[in-house]
Amino acid sequence: MCEVLSPGLAVSVLKAIFQEVHVQSLLQLDRHTVYSIITNFMSTREEELKGLGANFTFGFIQVMDGEKDPRNLLVAFQIVHDLIAKDYALGPFVEELFEVTSCYFPVDFTPPPNDPHGIQREDLILSLRAVLASTTQFAEFLLPLLIEKLDSELQSAKLDSLQTLTACCAIYGQKELQEFLPSLWSSLRREVFQTASEKIETECLAALRALSACLSRSVLSSDSEDLLDSFLSSILQDCRHHLCEPDMKLVWPSAKLLQAAAGASLRTYHCITHSVLPLLLEQYTKHTQSSQRRTILEMLLGFLELQQKWGHVEEDESPLLLHQAPVCSVVFSALLDPSVQLQLVGIKALTVLGSLQGFLSSSNLELVVDHLIRLALHEEDSQSSEAAMEAAGSLAPTYPKVFSGHMVPRLEKELQSEREESYYKRHSLQQRCLQALAAVSTHTSIVKETVPILLQHFQNVQKGTKAKNTQDVISVCQSLHRVALQCQQDAEGCWYFHQTVVPCLLAMAVQAAMPGCCACLLLLNSRLQQVPFLPLPAESTHTLPGKALLEEEVLAAMIPVISAATTHLSPELAAQSVAHVVPLFLDGDVSFLPQNSFPCSFQPFGDGEHLETQRRLVALLMAFICSLPRDVAIPQQEWLLRELLALSCSSNCPFTATTAAKCFAGLVNKHPIGQQLDEILQLAVNRMEPSLAEGPRRTQALTLLLWVTKALVLRYHPLSSCLTDKLLGLLGDTELGPATADGFSLLMAESPDVLHKGCHADVRIMFRQRFFTDNVPKLVQGFHGAGPDVKANYLKGLSHVLNHLPKPVLVTELPTLLSLLLEALSCSDRVVQLSTLSCLHPLLLEAPQIMSLHVDTLVTKFLNLTSSPTMAVRIAALRCAHALTSLPTTVLLPYKGRVIRALAKPLDDKKRLVRKEAVAARGEWFLLGSPGR
């Protein structure tokens, strides 16, 4: 409509509205129409409207004056913002325009319940702030208003004022701020010194930072006063002396104010730190108590962290370089202090200093490494040890030569040392060495140094069958896993780790799985890039090889290593690797392994009991092949699937059968849709059905069914509903029913090693909601029709499904399912009880109105379960009893005395965690109905 109006008509329409219509006497919808007309004209007839000059601004002021409806205010605020942003003439009406908008500041609006328009208080606040902070012409009126509101008692007004001041500083200069700086600083200082609100303190510091930044960027004329220097002088005068009192209340508020000002610009940083840095160093030396030194060092750390914002340390200007020696001395002394808390702050400071390029000299760097090694290996407190390792990992990419040349050899020496100490001490030291080697492996050049050391230690500890050997091997695997994770974002490091570690682990595992072979310690091939040959000790020539690598715990620890080394490979490199690994398992082709002269053939899919140890290594195949990108072609895939299917159904070893089933499921999940997939799935169904019906391998068949169902549920495959129905039918089986019910947790939960997004599985969004919608009605129906001996299976399955469902979805379905959940609490199965309690706990907090309808039943069942023989159930029941206090007080008051008496018993529970929950729950019930709650 606006576009077809003749030139001049828009001005005529607006003049008529301004002169003839008393807008504020109109209904809300009509007023909104007027604002819409003005908005449309401003967007289509801007030049015509600007021709009206200040009369247009004055006319709009009359239109808006007195507006109260939030729907109209949002439009009106936008019009004012456009008036200013598009440079309409304000003329002599600047103050009037400010008054007509600022009268709404601070915004006081609470939206009515079930408001169909959805306007929130925050919408009005942001819209008004955009107006007030859009022009410097408002400064002389706005700044006094902000100071006045800052001095008020209303917290929301303080927050709004501070946030508006911060926004204004983006466009203001020294001219606008000069008159008000003393008052602004006084108000900000008072709020930080006195407020108990963390929000207000945070906004005050942000406002001070914005003020300092504003003054820093103002261009000065030759004869004008530099307000920044005088402003910073005021801050230093009021705050600096408090830093000398580390035990007093105002030390931290003062430090925060100084750090906020220093963080505004490089200029403010230099000005503040020139004054503060020498003082803090002096105070650290002056005070001898560890707690005082920690406070001072934490303040110093805050200023050191600010230096990181400005990059390299400039020799001519940086106050930090002027005090290089005393700063390093203070930090190093903190690392030697017996106080763990002071050590931790010192380690943080050391990390920051190391991140400042050019600050630490070569001698200081060597001292840094010495301190980190000492703390990582020999500090009794684990916090300091772990912090030192993290610091080494942070600094290693910056100084790779220093860490690979000094730290890695020291760690290797400690790892290989044979001191005459107790096993516990030697074991503890080796664990820390392994952890430190992994932590420092954050640069490819260091990874190439540490990985061979870890692999060599892996070979040394995997000999033997004692429990301690198993734990040692697992520790090395954990360190290798950490290195693998740290390499994932670096293509070169990731490929090096993969082609070095994966063949080596496979080779050692294959060696350990060889039946009846004489020991031959694995020699690493020179082609594995810098991995040294390991000499064969003469005394071990005739000992049987260790079987530690065949333990389930060790294989389970090797799985994440191989998986993490594979998930981030490029498709091209992954294709190279899979071309070697698959033939190893299908054809026994060991040619790519570092040592390939095994005395027996490798046939993990072959027949015969003597090959059972080799079959266990299918777990490593699963780790590799299920972590490949989806677009990597797997050689001989159909043959591999058939072998995995046969092994999962025929193996007598639960571990082997399960890993084969998981590997099969992982491949099926990623398999392209088509005839080949349909055929292999039909083959699997044909193999499972007779085994499920009867025979000695029903459990293996159920395991396979569960994993295949999960693989298909995740990708929305049509066959998933058919397989789920089979599972629902098995809930009524007296033998397999309980295991099937537990399997519903497997279907809904995220698996740590296969079938998750991290290993490129095909996982569709909202698969849990879809599974819930399709199958929960069937579970409920099955429960009502089941016999008393299997009803618990349906309840367990239902509780597992609900426990993994997103809570917003569960709340909407709560009324129809709550009765079943309450019945599940009466089930004797501890797993059902725990799962149901875990499901009910968030519902008590998020749906109190619905839950309050069943308060009598809830109170009774929760109190009964606080006496359960299972500790986890007692804890969960007490947490639910605690959560009951979120229900309406009037509903709970009749039960108060009964609950308090019943909760007295768990106060004497033999388990500390139970007593802790009982104290918390009983305390809340005691306070129920108290004034102010």
Side-chain angles (χ1 to χ4, degrees):
M1 181 68 181
C2 295
E3 288 81 356
V4 300
L5 289 177
S6 301
L9 278 180
V11 171
S12 301
V13 170
L14 286 180
K15 281 184 177 180
I17 291 174
F18 293 158
Q19 294 171 7
E20 307 297 335
V21 181
H22 184 249
V23 175
Q24 289 307 312
S25 65
L26 301 177
L27 296 174
Q28 180 273 327
L29 184 60
D30 296 330
R31 300 199 306 275
H32 192 277
T33 302
V34 172
Y35 294 127
S36 299
I37 291 171
I38 296 173
T39 300
N40 291 335
F41 283 159
M42 288 179 71
S43 61
T44 58
R45 302 300 174 93
E46 183 176 333
E47 293 305 319
E48 291 183 35
L49 267 57
K50 285 184 175 179
L52 288 171
N55 289 331
F56 175 64
T57 301
F58 179 67
F60 177 72
I61 291 171
Q62 290 180 306
V63 168
M64 181 183 173
D65 192 16
E67 181 60 64
K68 294 181 180 178
D69 192 279
R71 292 165 288 182
N72 293 345
L73 283 173
L74 283 177
V75 184
F77 289 154
Q78 185 59 49
I79 292 173
V80 178
H81 183 270
D82 290 345
L83 276 173
I84 297 167
K86 294 181 179 179
D87 204 23
Y88 282 78
L90 304 184
F93 305 114
V94 173
E95 185 173 2
E96 285 77 5
L97 185 62
F98 173 78
E99 292 294 340
V100 82
T101 51
S102 65
C103 64
Y104 301 101
F105 183 87
V107 172
D108 182 19
F109 170 67
T110 303
N114 304 317
D115 179 18
H117 306 288
I119 297 176
Q120 301 296 318
R121 178 172 175 268
E122 192 67 18
D123 300 327
L124 292 167
I125 288 175
L126 294 176
S127 187
L128 177 57
R129 185 177 301 152
V131 172
L132 297 177
S134 61
T135 176
T136 58
Q137 297 180 72
F138 285 168
E140 61 180 305
F141 315 114
L142 177 59
L143 290 174
L145 176 63
L146 295 180
I147 294 170
E148 175 192 337
K149 299 302 180 184
L150 264 176
D151 295 341
S152 72
E153 297 298 322
L154 196 61
Q155 180 167 319
S156 60
K158 291 177 186 284
L159 285 171
D160 207 352
S161 301
L162 290 165
Q163 291 166 350
T164 304
L165 175 60
T166 301
C168 290
C169 288
I171 63 167
Y172 286 2
Q174 292 202 12
K175 176 184 174 184
E176 289 77 24
L177 293 173
Q178 183 171 9
E179 181 184 348
F180 306 100
L181 276 177
S183 298
L184 287 169
W185 163 240
S186 177
S187 297
L188 293 174
R189 181 192 62 209
R190 184 192 66 249
E191 289 303 323
V192 174
F193 279 0
Q194 297 179 4
T195 187
S197 167
E198 204 172 306
K199 285 184 180 179
I200 290 180
E201 180 187 89
T202 301
E203 294 300 335
C204 280
L205 297 176
L208 178 60
R209 192 177 299 111
L211 279 171
S212 303
C214 176
L215 297 175
S216 298
R217 64 174 174 266
S218 297
V219 179
L220 302 176
S221 58
S222 58
D223 58 344
S224 62
E225 178 190 1
D226 186 359
L227 291 180
L228 179 62
D229 281 346
S230 59
F231 184 61
L232 294 179
S233 296
S234 299
I235 297 174
L236 286 166
Q237 181 180 347
D238 291 342
C239 297
R240 188 176 182 272
H241 62 280
H242 290 302
L243 304 185
C244 301
E245 303 164 336
D247 292 327
M248 303 304 287
K249 177 184 176 182
L250 293 180
V251 63
W252 270 114
S254 299
K256 289 176 181 178
L257 286 167
L258 288 166
Q259 288 166 3
S265 67
L266 186 58
R267 186 179 165 201
T268 61
Y269 176 76
H270 283 156
C271 182
I272 295 290
T273 50
H274 264 300
S275 175
V276 170
L277 200 59
L279 176 65
L280 290 176
L281 295 171
E282 176 191 335
Q283 292 301 312
Y284 185 90
T285 307
K286 181 179 177 182
H287 293 84
T288 57
Q289 292 184 18
S290 296
S291 60
Q292 296 172 330
R293 286 190 160 192
R294 188 187 75 186
T295 300
I296 295 167
L297 188 56
E298 283 176 336
M299 291 188 287
L300 178 61
L301 175 61
F303 289 101
L304 295 178
E305 288 173 337
L306 291 174
Q307 177 67 60
Q308 291 178 303
K309 293 175 64 175
W310 318 117
H312 290 268
V313 182
E314 300 294 337
E315 277 195 49
D316 296 336
E317 301 180 19
S318 172
L320 200 54
L321 263 185
L322 295 176
H323 300 89
Q324 180 183 22
V327 167
C328 289
S329 176
V330 162
V331 173
F332 291 152
S333 74
L335 300 178
L336 294 168
D337 196 274
S339 167
V340 173
Q341 297 305 315
L342 182 54
Q343 285 179 11
L344 293 174
V345 181
I347 292 169
K348 289 180 185 177
L350 191 67
T351 307
V352 174
L353 290 180
S355 69
L356 302 176
Q357 288 282 358
F359 183 79
L360 294 175
S361 63
S362 57
S363 59
N364 277 335
L365 280 172
E366 291 182 14
L367 196 55
V368 166
V369 171
D370 289 341
H371 279 296
L372 291 178
I373 292 173
R374 177 183 57 80
L375 290 168
L377 300 187
H378 304 296
E379 178 57 45
E380 289 185 10
D381 189 89
S382 60
Q383 291 184 77
S384 295
S385 176
E386 291 168 7
M389 293 178 196
E390 292 298 328
S394 299
L395 295 177
T398 309
Y399 310 101
K401 291 183 179 179
V402 176
F403 280 86
S404 62
H406 292 83
M407 189 170 192
V408 174
R410 292 266 300 276
L411 292 173
E412 180 182 15
K413 183 179 178 182
E414 290 285 353
L415 187 63
Q416 295 174 351
S417 66
E418 294 290 340
R419 297 182 181 177
E420 293 185 3
E421 297 176 325
S422 67
Y423 169 77
Y424 174 79
K425 284 187 176 180
R426 188 168 65 253
H427 179 74
S428 176
L429 181 61
Q430 286 186 347
Q431 296 303 301
R432 288 197 175 185
C433 285
L434 292 172
Q435 293 167 6
L437 283 167
V440 79
S441 302
T442 51
H443 189 273
T444 302
S445 65
I446 301 176
V447 170
K448 292 179 180 180
E449 300 284 340
T450 56
V451 165
I453 298 171
L454 291 171
L455 289 177
Q456 183 169 358
H457 188 68
F458 188 96
Q459 288 181 300
N460 293 338
V461 299
Q462 57 96 19
K463 298 173 293 182
T465 56
K466 293 181 181 178
K468 63 182 182 182
N469 295 84
T470 300
Q471 188 54 51
D472 288 342
V473 175
I474 291 172
S475 298
V476 185
C477 288
Q478 290 169 345
S479 293
L480 286 170
H481 181 228
R482 179 171 180 175
V483 177
L485 293 175
Q486 291 166 177
C487 289
Q488 285 181 340
Q489 303 309 317
D490 176 64
E492 181 189 353
C494 184
W495 177 235
Y496 168 80
F497 185 92
H498 180 88
Q499 67 173 346
T500 304
V501 174
V502 173
C504 185
L505 294 184
L506 288 173
M508 284 190 280
V510 170
Q511 176 68 41
M514 290 294 158
C517 298
C518 292
C520 47
L521 295 179
L522 194 58
L523 305 179
L524 297 183
N525 194 294
S526 59
R527 69 183 176 86
L528 291 180
Q529 302 187 24
Q530 303 182 12
V531 183
F533 284 102
L534 303 180
L536 183 67
E539 66 272 17
S540 65
T541 306
H542 300 292
T543 56
L544 287 175
K547 299 295 182 182
L549 293 189
L550 302 179
E551 297 288 338
E552 289 182 20
E553 299 91 334
V554 175
L555 289 171
M558 293 170 71
I559 287 170
V561 179
I562 296 175
S563 179
T566 307
T567 52
H568 283 64
L569 289 180
S570 66
E572 297 77 21
L573 295 177
Q576 289 183 38
S577 192
V578 75
H580 295 301
V581 175
V582 172
L584 168 67
F585 282 85
L586 288 180
D587 306 320
D589 182 1
V590 298
S591 59
F592 85 104
L593 297 180
Q595 194 273 347
N596 47 40
S597 58
F598 300 107
C600 311
S601 60
F602 182 59
Q603 299 175 307
F605 294 113
D607 296 327
E609 289 296 325
H610 66 286
L611 296 176
E612 188 57 49
T613 55
Q614 295 188 10
R615 296 189 190 106
R616 296 169 77 84
L617 301 193
V618 170
L620 305 184
L621 173 66
M622 175 199 75
F624 171 79
I625 210 160
C626 291
S627 301
L628 292 169
R630 250 185 280 174
D631 52 353
V632 174
I634 298 173
Q636 308 175 81
Q637 183 171 8
E638 303 311 312
W639 179 19
L640 178 61
L641 282 166
R642 291 172 186 271
E643 294 286 6
L644 288 168
L645 178 60
L647 182 60
S648 66
C649 292
S650 62
S651 176
N652 292 321
C653 173
F655 177 79
T656 302
T658 301
T659 52
K662 290 162 75 172
C663 190
F664 180 83
L667 290 173
V668 163
N669 175 264
K670 296 179 186 179
H671 199 294
I673 197 163
Q675 184 179 355
Q676 285 186 330
L677 177 61
D678 294 340
E679 289 176 358
I680 198 69
L681 287 175
Q682 189 58 52
L683 183 64
V685 171
N686 294 341
R687 189 72 181 258
M688 286 186 288
E689 282 184 339
S691 298
L692 285 169
E694 58 183 359
R697 293 192 172 88
R698 299 186 74 200
T699 303
Q700 290 92 321
L702 174 61
T703 301
L704 177 62
L705 175 60
L706 285 167
W707 281 104
V708 173
T709 304
K710 181 178 178 72
L712 300 183
V713 165
L714 292 178
R715 62 180 288 179
Y716 290 176
H717 192 278
L719 186 61
S720 63
S721 58
C722 176
L723 298 184
T724 307
D725 288 342
K726 292 183 185 297
L727 289 172
L728 291 169
L730 288 171
L731 289 173
D733 188 292
T734 53
E735 180 187 351
L736 294 181
T740 305
D742 285 330
F744 279 85
S745 177
L746 184 152
L747 295 178
M748 299 295 284
E750 184 160 314
S751 172
D753 44 12
V754 294
L755 296 178
H756 60 86
K757 289 184 178 180
C759 64
H760 312 289
D762 186 357
V763 181
R764 305 298 175 88
I765 60 171
M766 300 175 69
F767 77 90
R768 291 183 178 89
Q769 289 90 319
R770 179 170 176 170
F771 187 88
F772 170 86
T773 304
D774 291 346
N775 296 293
V776 165
K778 299 176 184 177
L779 275 168
V780 174
Q781 183 181 359
F783 169 79
H784 290 304
D789 54 336
V790 294
K791 275 184 177 290
N793 297 336
Y794 290 90
L795 288 175
K796 185 188 289 189
L798 177 65
S799 65
H800 283 315
V801 173
L802 299 182
N803 203 26
H804 291 92
L805 197 67
K807 293 305 177 278
V809 179
L810 184 54
V811 169
T812 60
E813 302 290 338
L814 186 58
T816 58
L817 296 172
L818 188 54
S819 59
L820 272 180
L821 287 172
L822 295 177
E823 188 163 348
L825 291 178
S826 302
C827 179
S828 59
D829 190 305
R830 306 304 178 203
V831 176
V832 176
Q833 293 173 354
L834 189 57
S835 181
T836 307
L837 289 168
S838 301
C839 183
L840 287 172
H841 182 267
L843 297 177
L844 290 165
L845 303 175
E846 296 173 22
Q849 297 302 324
I850 299 173
M851 302 298 282
S852 62
L853 300 175
H854 303 268
V855 64
D856 187 72
T857 307
L858 289 168
V859 167
T860 302
K861 293 188 180 293
F862 290 161
L863 294 182
N864 288 340
L865 290 174
T866 59
S867 302
S868 168
T870 306
M871 184 183 77
V873 173
R874 297 200 301 276
I875 290 174
L878 287 166
R879 286 176 179 165
C880 287
H882 188 169
L884 275 174
T885 57
S886 63
L887 303 187
T889 304
T890 52
V891 175
L892 296 175
L893 281 176
Y895 303 92
K896 181 176 178 179
R898 172 187 168 191
V899 173
I900 290 173
R901 287 191 298 273
L903 292 180
K905 181 181 177 182
L907 290 176
D908 295 325
D909 196 279
K910 60 183 178 181
K911 295 294 185 180
R912 182 184 61 83
L913 293 177
V914 177
R915 296 196 300 271
K916 178 183 174 183
E917 294 295 339
V919 168
R922 198 163 186 256
E924 284 297 315
W925 277 90
F926 262 117
L927 295 173
L928 193 69
S930 302
R933 287 184 61 80

